[in-house]
Amino acid sequence: MVDVALDCVALLPVDAAGLLLSDQRGALQVASSSTEQVHLLELLQLQADEGPCPDCFRTSRQVAVPDLREVTDWPRFGAHTQAAGFRSVYALPLRLRAETIGALNLFGGRPGPLSADELRIAQALADVATTGILHERAVRHREVLAEQLQTALNIRVITEQAKGVLAERGRLDLAHTFDLLRGHARSNNHGTTTADSLLRPLPRHTTS
């Protein structure tokens, strides 16, 4: 994601760039920036809840400010951004269909608009970044699901083994052994996920 910010600076007539992404709760977080100065400005936007990126994220629309001196909607952001030497700012949504996952911020050292072609290039970079980020999240989600499934299967194997041991030692039917396991785990504040809690402390039962 750092590459996206650097690519914007290399390909467009801007002096710096930053990227904000939403987390699982939908709150924006600073993901990358081309300079430490921009990183601080991005943090300011989040803390003050004002600036082009929050507005862009909420509306899923581009925000163009060719001259920061003419903007009064973001007093803190505007003052700090100009003090940092920037005179123009743009925000472009990281959006795929109906889902917006963040915003790309572009900073210029001089006032003046980006051309229509430059804005198309900037949006194309934002779109490519969005596709890559969503793909990465989907892969991570599948990996988490796979791990959860494997854990569930492991627990099932352990439980079945424990049931078999109890059934053989106590000469019990399998339904009764599962009730014993569950009752023992609950009475000792343990889950049924470890062999120790399933096997070691259980009382030995015999039939009359």
Side-chain angles (χ1 to χ4, degrees), residues 13-32:
V14 297
D15 297 287
L19 200 68
L20 296 181
L21 289 179
S22 62
D23 58 20
Q24 294 179 343
R25 299 181 299 277
L28 286 174
Q29 305 288 336
V30 180
S32 70

Side-chain angles (χ1 to χ4, degrees), residues 144-195:
V144 169
L145 288 179
E147 291 175 0
Q148 291 174 342
L149 177 59
Q150 187 60 53
T151 299
L153 290 173
N154 292 340
I155 293 171
R156 181 62 180 269
V157 169
I158 293 171
T159 303
E160 293 301 319
Q161 289 174 342
K163 286 167 61 179
V165 171
L166 286 176
E168 187 274 331
R169 291 180 181 177
R171 299 177 185 177
L172 303 171
D173 63 78
L174 292 177
H176 189 194
T177 60
F178 182 75
D179 289 338
L180 287 173
L181 289 172
R182 183 169 53 186
H184 173 73
R186 288 177 176 175
S187 64
N188 289 274
N189 294 320
H190 292 305
T192 57
T193 60
T194 66

